[in-house]
Amino acid sequence: MPSRSLLLASAAVATVALIAGCGAMKPSGGSPMGFFITSANPGKGGDLGGLAGADRFCQSLATAAGAGGKTWRAYLSTAAMDGQAAVNARDRIGSGPWTNAKGVVVATSVADLHSANAKLGKDTSLTEKGEVVSGFGDAVNRHDILTGSRPDGTLAVPEPGKDTTCGNWTKSDGGSAMVGHHDRKGTNPDPVANASWNSSHGTRGCSVDQLKMSGSAGLMYCFAAN
């Protein structure tokens, strides 16, 4: 009997150890979110600290929301400047698919994201907190999202002497940036541009106040690149 008790005790210990081991092998999990609109601007309007600063901001917000285990990139394009080649927003966000904070797939691939099939809109383009961003028709309109891009996700090439990226995201006054309508609504006379989530029109400047004048709070899109 003592030996039988010992065997049963040993089996129980082994079972507990196995369960604990299986628990340890489970993936750490975390939020499945792979896309969001920033809930705020870093504080300097179109000056995001360049692409690196914008990426850090995306990463910090994602981390606070429990999705910091991924590599986050801001959906922003930049112009060729100071010996640096132009950068296209579409080339820096990974391959997808991407889900919002509520688990809704907004796009399955880069091609899908830039097609009519993309599921981006006011109800799906949520912040990292899962909140809806106010848009056209609301008391406060914040639907102009910074992108510096054309509808296909490439740089909105500026005319000579003009600006589409707030000086490659380093200007907090003057300049201009191409923005998209996250709610796909507005007053742009071009119906196609009006409904574009990433390329509707330029802003009146790059300061916080100048951005507000055209319905922007200096928010941007963030995507998980892995």
Side-chain angles (χ1 to χ4, degrees):
M1 290 297 291
S3 60
R4 178 179 175 79
S5 297
L6 182 61
L7 286 172
L8 290 173
S10 298
V13 171
T15 300
V16 171
L18 180 59
I19 293 173
C22 289
M25 289 187 290
K26 287 182 180 179
S28 58
S31 171
M33 179 176 67
F35 159 81
F36 63 87
I37 293 178
T38 58
S39 57
N41 175 269
K44 296 182 179 180
D47 181 359
L48 305 172
L51 289 180
D55 289 345
R56 284 193 298 271
F57 192 60
C58 285
Q59 193 75 45
S60 67
L61 294 182
T63 298
K70 303 171 185 178
T71 300
W72 289 85
R73 296 284 181 264
Y75 183 91
L76 298 171
S77 296
T78 57
M81 188 182 296
D82 299 327
Q84 299 296 314
V87 174
N88 298 318
R90 65 177 293 141
D91 297 333
R92 49 189 333 271
I93 59 172
S95 57
W98 299 282
T99 62
N100 67 14
K102 299 296 186 182
V104 175
V105 177
V106 296
T108 58
S109 65
V110 173
D112 186 51
L113 178 66
H114 297 93
S115 75
N117 186 58
K119 303 301 187 295
L120 277 71
K122 186 177 180 180
D123 295 334
T124 53
S125 297
L126 307 175
T127 70
E128 76 282 358
K129 300 176 183 179
E131 299 172 343
V132 172
V133 176
S134 58
F136 183 72
D138 292 330
V140 178
N141 182 13
R142 302 189 299 160
H143 74 166
D144 285 352
I145 312 300
L146 303 173
T147 69
S149 306
R150 293 187 288 200
D152 65 355
T154 59
L155 169 69
V157 181
E159 298 175 4
K162 301 293 184 179
D163 186 15
T164 60
T165 64
C166 284
N168 284 350
W169 315 112
T170 62
K171 286 185 177 181
S172 59
D173 192 20
S176 181
M178 181 62 71
V179 296
H181 289 167
H182 90 290
D183 55 3
R184 313 187 89 152
K185 297 178 181 179
T187 59
N188 191 319
D190 182 336
V192 175
N194 195 50
S196 175
W197 66 271
N198 67 342
S199 190
S200 182
H201 58 83
T203 64
R204 300 185 186 184
C206 295
S207 71
V208 172
D209 288 339
Q210 288 169 329
L211 291 175
K212 285 181 180 179
M213 292 171 66
S214 57
S216 176
L219 308 183
M220 55 186 167
Y221 297 110
C222 298
F223 288 82
N226 61 346

